[in-house]
Amino acid sequence: MKVIAAEERQSLKTCISPAIITRVRDFGEADLLVTFFTPERGCLKGVARAARRSRRRFPNCLDLFCLSRVEYAEHPRGGELHTMISCRLLDGFEGLRRDWSILTLAGYMVEVVEMLSPPQAADPSLFSLLLRTFKLLEGEIQPLHVQIFFEAAAMALGGYGIELGRCSSCGRTYEGLGRAAFHPEKGGIVCLRCGSESALNPGLDPLGVQALGHLQALEWDLFERMTLPREMAQAIERVNRRHMDYRLGRRPKSLAWL
Ligand SMILES: [Zn+2]
């Protein structure tokens, strides 16, 4: 038995990666079970042994939504539970903790990331987006704007961008004139000849369509320069909601707290 254990120890592969800590809970007597999101391997789980008893190996770096540099040993037999070896804080995102609603929004974003990113799969652009939106949430920016940016950009990065360039029914190019209705099952906007606005098919005016286009293309600066009225941001939020409900198949639980 001892020989096998020693061989296993030798064959343990250790990895070092930046990671956002997405979930932390007590595990056993003194350990922590940590879920962390990495750019190269998506969402992973690890046990931080004795982390509740001694903070020496894990000083302030396993708090929720921290960006940390984690070192972990892969599970020896390909299991999903890895062993955390050490950890160093890179950014505590203290600004997220100033307000319960901001913290809830961060939790919602993490849940969307978990829905979009298959475990153990590389998703560096989604990782960058989450970091970028956490930074924005720390600033004095309207949280609703950060939310609709994150939603539109995350869906587009996940391969679910909304077609905004043409009517998804008749194919006519959308010239940026007149209102359009969003049809979730078509994954795009339709002209008002082909469909009408309703609670299930929320509408956008030309400025809203343009703004959503900037968000999907991750053009935050261009979007911000538009200084969108609140009603228009809410209209984009309604479109995002219908789109995400339809494509993801279920609602993130944390949405109820937003
Ligand atoms: Zn049409």
Side-chain angles (χ1 to χ4, degrees):
M1 287 297 280
K2 271 181 188 169
V3 176
I4 294 168
E7 275 172 2
E8 271 181 3
R9 261 202 304 282
Q10 270 181 353
S11 65
L12 280 186
K13 190 177 160 223
T14 63
C15 309
I16 294 176
S17 173
I20 298 170
I21 310 299
T22 55
R23 288 173 200 277
V24 187
R25 68 176 174 83
D26 290 352
F27 193 66
E29 287 283 295
D31 305 343
L32 286 176
L33 179 63
V34 184
T35 310
F36 52 104
F37 180 50
T38 64
E40 298 308 328
R41 299 188 59 191
C43 293
L44 299 172
K45 277 182 195 168
V47 179
R49 305 262 178 235
R52 275 147 63 208
R53 213 178 280 145
S54 153
R55 297 177 74 83
R56 192 166 42 86
R57 270 188 309 154
F58 307 107
N60 304 323
C61 52
L62 294 179
D63 291 338
L64 206 54
F65 309 141
C66 279
L67 172 68
S68 295
R69 175 187 174 279
V70 299
E71 182 187 9
Y72 61 96
E74 282 189 349
H75 188 281
R77 289 176 298 280
E80 66 161 20
L81 204 55
H82 308 297
T83 302
M84 312 296 278
I85 297 171
S86 71
C87 187
R88 182 163 59 83
L89 183 69
L90 299 176
D91 190 335
F93 289 115
E94 287 308 318
L96 296 182
R97 291 159 226 282
R98 70 181 190 275
D99 185 323
W100 174 247
S101 63
I102 300 288
L103 207 57
T104 309
L105 186 49
Y108 161 72
M109 290 172 173
V110 160
E111 209 180 332
V112 172
V113 162
E114 288 172 344
M115 291 169 84
L116 280 173
S117 174
Q120 318 251 1
D123 212 334
S125 42
L126 195 55
F127 182 83
S128 303
L129 176 68
L130 191 60
L131 279 188
R132 193 171 167 194
T133 43
F134 275 10
K135 272 274 166 237
L136 290 173
L137 279 182
E138 283 195 303
E140 295 299 311
I141 292 160
Q142 179 65 248
L144 177 61
H145 287 191
V146 185
Q147 179 189 330
I148 59 175
F149 170 47
F150 172 79
E151 290 171 339
M155 290 299 281
L157 290 174
Y160 302 115
I162 295 175
E163 171 62 75
L164 300 171
R166 59 190 67 253
C167 169
S168 300
S169 191
C170 68
R172 197 154 56 97
T173 304
Y174 180 69
E175 307 279 5
L177 303 167
R179 293 181 67 84
F182 171 66
H183 277 235
E185 63 283 2
K186 291 188 164 41
I189 53 168
V190 303
C191 69
L192 294 189
R193 269 193 234 160
C194 294
S196 53
E197 295 181 36
S198 68
L200 295 178
N201 301 116
L204 290 174
D205 68 8
L207 215 56
V209 173
Q210 191 192 345
L212 182 53
H214 287 322
L215 296 175
Q216 289 196 144
L218 283 90
E219 295 166 344
W220 169 260
D221 295 345
L222 294 180
F223 166 78
E224 225 192 351
R225 255 180 258 158
M226 295 178 73
T227 56
L228 221 58
R230 184 162 180 84
E231 309 78 65
M232 211 173 284
Q234 288 167 332
I236 293 176
E237 187 193 18
R238 284 192 289 278
V239 169
N240 283 348
R241 184 60 43 231
R242 287 288 296 139
H243 184 48
M244 293 170 81
D245 280 354
Y246 188 82
R247 292 292 153 191
L248 300 180
R250 68 176 173 86
R251 282 200 166 175
K253 290 192 195 93
S254 48
L255 192 64
W257 303 98
L258 282 187

